[in-house]
């Protein structure tokens, strides 16, 4: 209903559906349809991003990186403590590193990435006990919708 509701009152599924809608916008630029939203402790979006590698020519323009940058700018700090990152695809190693460095405590993702995932499939950087910061990972939220969007994108390109 309203963005003012606390995070606990708005389901992961609602935020993931919003991210899927954002991911569809990436299709317009020929980018892989992945989107991310950073929420503050009250559940207010403070950063949004979608893949823009093709549009920008920047190999680091992943949805998570762009959402993290916007959230840091919004808060005026690189420390994104008490936030949640919602993303349609399991983060890769680069994005997992950014999540760890930003001190994001929770990641919610939709589809698993069996080729490059770093939150439990190929690697699990976000929960590596050797690191000083570990992240709560909630996987598979709206997984079918997220995976379907990616499947459709790649089927057209084959």
């Amino acid at each position: 209903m309203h963005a003012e509701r606390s995070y606990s009152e708005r389901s992961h599924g609602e935020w993931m559906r919003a991210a899927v809608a954002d991911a569809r916008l990436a299709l317009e630029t020929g980018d892989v349809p992945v989107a991310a939203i950073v929420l503050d402790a009250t559940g207010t979006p403070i950063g949004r991003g979608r893949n823009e590698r093709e549009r920008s020519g920047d190999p680091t323009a992943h949805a998570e990186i762009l959402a993290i940058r916007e959230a840091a700018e919004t808060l005026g700090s690189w420390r994104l403590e008490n936030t949640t990152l919602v993303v349609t695809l399991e983060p890769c190693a680069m994005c997992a590193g950014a999540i760890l460095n930003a001190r994001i405590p929770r990641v919610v993702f939709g589809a698993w990435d069996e080729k490059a995932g770093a939150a439990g499939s190929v690697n699990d950087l976000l929960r590596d006990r050797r690191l000083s910061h570990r992240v709560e990972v909630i996987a598979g939220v709206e997984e079918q919708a997220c995976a379907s969007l990616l499947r459709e994108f790649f089927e057209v390109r084959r």
Side-chain angles (χ1 to χ4, degrees), residues 115-128:
K115 294 181 180 179
S121 61
V122 177
N123 292 298
D124 197 352
L125 297 176
L126 296 180
R127 294 176 286 196
D128 190 322

Side-chain angles (χ1 to χ4, degrees), residues 59-62 65 92-99 118 125:
T60 68
H62 286 205
I65 300 295
C92 69
M94 175 182 69
C95 293
I99 290 162
L125 297 176

Side-chain angles (χ1 to χ4, degrees), residues 116 141 149 157:
V141 175
L149 185 59
R157 278 145 184 79

Side-chain angles (χ1 to χ4, degrees), residues 94-138:
M94 175 182 69
C95 293
I99 290 162
L100 290 165
N101 282 306
R103 308 295 194 266
I104 295 172
R106 180 183 302 117
V107 170
V108 178
F109 73 83
W112 291 92
D113 185 345
E114 299 295 334
K115 294 181 180 179
S121 61
V122 177
N123 292 298
D124 197 352
L125 297 176
L126 296 180
R127 294 176 286 196
D128 190 322
R129 295 196 182 281
R130 296 170 293 181
L131 302 175
S132 61
H133 179 70
R134 279 178 292 289
V135 178
E136 175 187 6
V137 175
I138 301 167

